[in-house]
Structures are given as C-alpha cells and as structure tokens.
Amino acid sequence: MTTPRNALVPGGAADQGPASTTPSGDSRRLIYGHPSLLAERPTHYCPGCGHGIIHRLIAELLDELHLGPTTIGVASVGCSVFAYDYLGIDFVESPHGRAPAVATGVRRTRPDAFVFTYQGDGDLAAIGTAEIIHAAARGERISVVFVNNGIYGMTGGQMAPTTLLGQHTTSSPEGRDSSLAGYPIPITEMLALLPGVSYAARGSIADPSQIGKTKVMLRRAFEDQLGGGRTSIVEILSTCPVGWGMTPQESMDHVANEVVGVYPLGVLVDRRAAAAKGA
Amino acid sequence: MTAVAERPRLMKGNEAMADAAIEAGCDAYFGYPITPQAELLERMARRMPELGRVFVQAESEVGAINMALGAAATGAKVLVSTSSPGMSLMAEAMSYMAGSELPIVLINVMRGGPGLGSIGPSQSDYFQATKGHGHGDYRVPVLAPSSISEAVALVADSFELAARYRTPVILLADGIQGQAMEPVMPTFRMPDWDTASWELTGADGREPRVVKSLHLRPEDLEVHNAHLQAKFATITEREVRWAGEQLEDAEVVVVAYGTAARVARTAIERARADGLHVGLFRPITLWPFPSKALAELAPRLRAIVVVELSAGQMVEDVRLAVERVPVFFHGRTGGMVPTPSEVVDRLRVAWALTAPTP
C-alpha cells in the first residue's frame, strides 16, 4: 500500500479548511484530515458505493483508538475483499461466509489483538449464516462490520436474502416474490437476541448525519470489544447503484426512504450500557 | 527436543494422536464430533484447556477448519481432526489454505463411504486426500501410519512438514487405527516451528501483512501457481517415504498402506511359509507417492498385488508408477477389512499366473 500521509503536515488536507486562526498555524485545530491508516489512492468501488465511506470510518476509528498496531482484520468474499488494499493493517482473507469462524481462530490465538470482520449481506446473511450465528452464540470477542446493500454486487446484482420484496435483481427479474423467495432476513435483530452479543446496532450511510451516527455505533462496538465485551455487530445499510440501476444520489435516497422502512435504524442491544445503568 | 518414555503404554489410537499433537506443541485444536475420531476431540477438550491452550468445538466441520485457517494465520500450531464426511466439508478451506500457504495438520480417521456410509474403517478417501479435496491446482503432503506408534511419530513429522513448506498436511488414518488400543512407545517430539516472517500479529512497527489466496489478475495468479508448483516439486523430490519388508528375494510384492499393510504383513508370513517369495512395499507418504522407488523395484518382480480398504484407489498410482509388471488388486469396501486368507489367495493367484514358462 502507499505510504499514509500525515494530515498534520502543512499542505495536507487539514490546511485547506477554515480552522486555521493564525498565519503561524500554532493554534490551528485539526478538524478533518486523511486517516493515517487509509491508503491514498482511488478505490476500485463504483461511484456511489458505500464501501469507501465505511472504510474511511473504520480507518478514522482505528486511528482515534490507536488500534492500528494491534488490529487483525478478516476480509470476506465480495466487492469488499479488497479492504486490505485500502486499510493499512494486518488482514487475513476468509472463504465466503466463514469470516466469523476465521476471526474465532484469530481471536483465540491472539487474545490481545483487536479483531474485526468486514462482511457483506450475501456473505453474512446467506452463505455464512451458521458461522455468524455460532460465533455470536459463543460470544466471540470480535467486532462485525456488516455492510447490507441488499444485493450480490460483485457477481452482477443477484438477489440476496436481504433483498427487499418486489426488488428487481438479475435473479429476481420480476421483483422478489415472497411466495418463491421468502422474506428479507433481519439477521441483526436475530443476533441481538443472543446473550453472547453485547452490542448490536444498525446505521446507514445515506447522508452525512447518518454517517456520523453510524460512526458513533462503530466506535461503541469497537470500544465494547476493547472493554471486554463479547460479540459486537454494526449493520450498515449501504448502496449498490450499479446493481440497483440507480444513480448514486437515487441510491442514497432509496436507502433513506425505502430500505430503512424494512431495516429500522438504531441500537438493538447494548448490554454493557444496560448493565452500567442498572448498577 | 525429544522426550522418550521409559516403557510402552497401552493407548487408543485417537488418544495417542491427540497426545502426540500436544507434545508436539500444538497451540490450538478445532473439531466437531464424528465417529470414529470422537475420542481425539474429547482428549483435546480435556487436555488443551488444562495446558492453557485453545480448544473449540465448532458448529460444523466448516466452522472448525475455518477457525484453523484463522489461527494458522497468526502463526499458531494448529491441529484439526475429523472423519470422512467431515473431510468433505473441510475441502473448501483446504483449498484456501493451500492457496494462502497456511500450515496446519489435519487428521482424517477414515470411515466407509460414500455419503453417510458406515462407521467402519476404510481407505476410500485416498483419491480425496492425494488428488485434491478442494478446487484448484494444489497438493498437500499425506502421511499414512500403519501402527499407533507410527501415528504418534508422524503427528510430529506432519507439523514439521507443515511449517517447513507452509502447507496443510493430512495424516490419513482409518477407523481401526483410531479405535484400536496397542502398546505405544510414545516417542513424542517437539518439531521446529518458525512462522515469524509472515504470521499476523498486528502491524506494530512493520508493514502490514495480508494472508490471502486471491490474485485477481490472471498474470499474478499464474506466477503464484508457478511458485506453488515449484514447492510441490521440492516436496516430491525430498519428502517421499516408504518402507520395505522382505523385498530382498521377493518375486511378488504387496503394495499396501495403513491397516491394509498390517493385514498384508500377516498374509506375507503365511505365503512365505508355503514357499512363495513375497514381500511388502508400504508407502508412508501417499503424496508424494513413492513412484520412483516402486519403479526401481518393479523390474525384479513377477507381479504386484495392491491391497486396499477400498474399491481400488491407490492401485491407480501403482499402475502409473510401473511398466510391464502385472498389477493385481484386492480390496474390501464399506467398512469391511480384507482377511489375511483373502490376501494369501490373491498372492497365490498372482504367483501362479505369472510363473515363468519352463
């Protein structure tokens, strides 16, 4: 990967904002910069895809929590398998759907590492259902970043278990019909029932305010692991403009107006916060 | 480091292999209950936590082998065990680990197939073990013990090969070897294990590392495959193992491994008592197969008799290895074991049919 640029260096992104109050720069306050762990190169993701935003959130949080040197990420199969090309941390690549099992092996043999998986909805909610359910049932001390765009993007836009009813995909050309293909699976709600899941939440990247809220959820999930919590999961409603046949703006609007009606946003369970409150 | 016990112990095969792995320094074990290897998992369930090491009973063989993949990526010395139907479920991750060059040791205590088959002993996973479990151009070393003492030794050897070549290694046993008890001289051994140059620890003070099997550009994947093939060629050159018994004057030779070799040994004693000059050629590495050694032996032979607990799998490699020597076969399937008498009968047939014309 390319050498990360220090955002505090003059001429970096931080210099371009209005935060500078004196010409000397001594009292400037950094409010925005390039995360040191995020590679400075264009991603291969399509215009309007959410992965770039979510990669950035993870890079920011790993920087802010000083986790870069101790993190081992587990990449899964799908467009985001290349997360390791953009995040400057150790990574192991998992077979399709098996990331929570792979993360279990990493976690058990590296008890001091920060361990997270990055999985799409085909990966986590279809082929990898057994692995995520049982990692959560065991309460593996891992964080799961679950990016749900309701479609198989990498293979050309086929129906996923998360696809909305009526949604047209290349394998549901007349729209998803519940009599043939069942119903969208609310897997994060299912996981939130398990006592091994200490934090579960659903955010989106549909607009800057939602992105900010999603970052808070991810931070809470990561801190949960660092604080001795068990499994933490943040589902992030994301986009696939190419697979959906929409422009980037239309796809963001679709998340905000349609998808959140099926997959409501919010914190589903936060057992450590609940325990602290009860104490 | 070698620790030799004072005297033999009576041990069950599954438990002896578990102990051998523990003494070899196994850091982590992942498994799923399946007959006839369950005692191996049970032994690890008790002993690994006592030693402060990792034991996880997974939700499936798929889960177990992928936990092994993750643990191996951190440089841990990992053991997985299963039996035939479970091996089929592990095929996917075996391909990924071969591609990612991750060392693990996998013990397959074979049972009768196909499908759910039986829980009796079998050697019908020879093709699967030696020709490929998952997709892609790859092989992994396959070691086949014919006694529990040998299984103990081969567990340590398997870890050594795994680390030396950054590859999964299969120890191919069968239901008899898993279930039987016999006196074992536990020559436990702690092999070398150095993964420091590639293991994942978190990128503290160094460039990030990625353990992966994806090489999306065909040009890159071909280079990676060339690297793997070169490694397989080195293994084939250096790691072939076999054992011969009574080959000096043998005119007919039994080729058999594992439990079949033990049956053959008894048959050979009986046939020799009847004046037949017969011997045993026992492959210990099934891949790489001892083709060269067999080819060198073959010109001296009238016939070869292959004995397997299968419908005939290794016999194909024997036929590929030798020229002009008639190759006979005797096998039993489904969990049935050939008797020494059956093998003696087959030896007599081979002996008679290939008798030099006066």
Side-chain angles (χ1 to χ4, degrees):
Chain A
M1 66 174 289
T2 53
T3 309
R5 181 174 64 189
N6 184 341
L8 285 166
V9 171
D15 272 354
Q16 293 157 16
S20 177
T21 53
T22 68
S24 72
D26 290 342
S27 62
R28 285 179 303 166
R29 188 166 56 88
L30 180 69
I31 61 166
Y32 197 74
H34 193 94
S36 74
L37 294 172
L38 191 65
E40 286 202 46
R41 70 162 81 135
T43 71
H44 72 291
Y45 299 119
C46 305
C49 170
H51 280 314
I53 296 168
I54 298 163
H55 285 12
R56 184 186 168 99
L57 294 182
I58 291 170
E60 287 177 356
L61 284 168
L62 295 181
D63 272 352
E64 291 164 17
L65 297 169
H66 310 292
L67 291 174
T70 56
T71 295
I72 300 176
V74 182
S76 66
V77 174
C79 298
S80 67
V81 64
F82 293 109
Y84 48 63
D85 284 347
Y86 308 119
L87 294 169
I89 53 172
D90 276 8
F91 255 107
V92 56
E93 181 185 274
S94 165
H96 198 14
R98 319 298 179 217
V102 172
T104 298
V106 174
R107 157 54 62 228
R108 298 293 183 110
T109 52
R110 288 276 179 220
D112 298 329
F114 176 77
V115 181
F116 76 96
T117 70
Y118 190 107
Q119 301 177 259
D121 48 304
D123 193 81
L124 183 142
I127 195 168
T129 315
E131 285 74 21
I132 186 63
I133 294 282
H134 285 280
R138 289 189 301 272
E140 294 295 340
R141 199 160 57 82
I142 61 174
S143 299
V144 177
V145 180
F146 169 36
V147 180
N148 178 5
N149 62 8
I151 205 161
Y152 286 88
M154 193 180 221
T155 47
Q158 294 83 12
M159 180 179 63
T162 43
T163 295
L164 304 190
L165 290 180
Q167 184 177 341
H168 295 258
T169 72
T170 56
S171 59
S172 59
E174 302 300 319
R176 182 175 184 173
D177 176 351
S178 65
S179 71
L180 296 173
Y183 301 88
I185 182 169
I187 197 158
T188 306
E189 278 84 350
M190 293 160 63
L191 290 167
L193 296 172
L194 300 173
V197 173
S198 44
Y199 182 80
R202 183 184 290 118
S204 96
I205 48 107
D207 60 50
S209 127
Q210 291 301 333
I211 292 169
K213 288 176 182 168
T214 296
K215 183 176 175 182
V216 171
M217 291 172 176
L218 285 169
R219 172 183 278 275
R220 183 70 195 84
F222 289 8
E223 287 176 342
D224 191 81
Q225 179 183 148
L226 298 171
R230 304 296 289 267
T231 307
S232 55
I233 178 167
V234 178
E235 176 178 343
I236 304 173
L237 302 180
S238 188
T239 52
C240 185
V242 172
W244 294 355
M246 296 180 186
T247 66
Q249 184 59 54
E250 286 167 351
S251 67
M252 294 291 177
D253 294 343
H254 181 70
V255 170
N257 299 328
E258 304 292 333
V259 181
V260 296
V262 179
Y263 300 109
L265 303 179
V267 176
L268 295 161
V269 68
D270 188 344
R271 291 188 207 285
R272 285 159 54 79
K277 198 174 286 179
Chain B
M1 192 169 98
T2 303
V4 182
E6 296 82 12
R7 55 193 175 86
R9 294 184 218 162
L10 189 64
M11 296 187 83
K12 189 167 195 163
N14 282 330
E15 294 171 350
M17 289 188 282
D19 285 0
I22 287 167
E23 297 299 328
C26 175
D27 296 307
Y29 171 90
F30 306 97
Y32 182 84
I34 184 168
T35 309
Q37 67 82 54
E39 297 84 0
L40 209 165
L41 173 135
E42 290 167 355
R43 184 78 150 196
M44 295 307 250
R46 179 172 296 280
R47 291 205 58 200
M48 292 293 273
E50 283 173 1
L51 296 164
R53 304 186 196 173
V54 174
F55 168 89
V56 181
Q57 179 174 324
E59 66 274 16
S60 67
E61 284 89 350
V62 176
I65 195 74
N66 282 286
M67 291 174 195
L69 187 158
T74 71
K77 196 183 276 185
V78 183
L79 179 74
V80 169
S81 67
T82 188
S83 179
S84 308
M87 184 67 221
S88 295
L89 284 174
M90 293 182 174
E92 173 195 50
M94 288 295 279
S95 171
Y96 279 76
M97 286 190 286
S100 306
E101 298 191 89
L102 286 174
I104 71 148
V105 174
L106 193 167
I107 299 176
N108 178 4
V109 183
M110 289 183 285
R111 60 187 251 184
L116 205 49
S118 78
I119 58 170
S122 176
Q123 296 180 327
S124 55
D125 300 350
Y126 178 94
F127 283 154
Q128 182 190 49
T130 62
K131 311 294 180 190
H133 348 87
H135 56 285
D137 270 330
Y138 76 96
R139 304 287 186 115
V140 305
V142 181
L143 303 180
S146 78
S147 70
I148 297 175
S149 285
E150 189 176 37
V152 164
L154 291 184
V155 166
D157 294 356
S158 297
F159 278 113
E160 195 158 56
L161 284 173
R164 184 183 299 157
Y165 296 103
R166 280 190 66 177
T167 179
V169 174
I170 293 176
L171 197 152
L172 198 62
D174 63 53
I176 287 179
Q177 294 168 331
Q179 295 297 315
M181 297 184 81
E182 59 186 25
V184 175
M185 185 62 86
T187 50
F188 296 131
R189 192 166 70 88
M190 171 93 77
D192 290 341
W193 188 267
D194 183 5
T195 55
S197 64
W198 57 266
E199 67 188 18
L200 303 187
T201 56
D204 194 5
R206 59 159 170 76
E207 286 295 300
R209 293 171 177 167
V210 179
V211 170
K212 63 170 189 168
S213 63
L214 179 66
H215 303 268
L216 202 57
R217 291 178 68 241
E219 295 86 345
D220 295 343
L221 183 55
E222 189 170 53
V223 168
H224 180 59
N225 268 304
H227 160 71
L228 292 177
Q229 291 299 321
K231 177 167 82 175
F232 302 152
T234 303
I235 294 171
T236 302
E237 181 67 29
R238 295 185 186 164
E239 304 296 348
V240 170
R241 295 195 208 181
W242 60 281
E245 295 175 26
Q246 309 195 68
L247 293 178
E248 296 74 20
D249 63 343
E251 296 172 49
V252 173
V253 157
V254 176
V255 181
Y257 69 95
T259 289
R262 298 184 70 162
V263 176
R265 190 174 291 136
T266 305
I268 285 163
E269 294 308 322
R270 290 190 196 170
R272 280 199 167 255
D274 291 347
L276 276 59
H277 295 173
V278 294
L280 175 66
F281 182 97
R282 181 169 71 84
I284 298 171
T285 52
L286 302 182
W287 189 87
F289 191 73
S291 304
K292 200 174 155 196
L294 195 55
E296 286 167 5
L297 178 67
R300 298 202 271 117
L301 304 178
R302 281 158 55 170
I304 288 172
V305 175
V306 177
V307 180
E308 298 181 62
L309 277 64
S310 81
Q313 300 195 8
M314 182 180 70
V315 66
E316 293 191 1
D317 283 334
V318 173
R319 287 188 171 127
L320 283 169
V322 302
E323 290 176 340
R324 286 192 287 279
V325 180
V327 177
F328 296 78
F329 176 73
H330 181 70
R332 297 291 299 271
T333 70
M336 299 299 289
V337 181
T339 64
S341 300
E342 291 169 18
V343 177
V344 170
D345 289 348
R346 202 70 186 143
L347 283 169
R348 286 207 183 95
V349 168
W351 186 267
L353 287 176
T354 59
T357 44

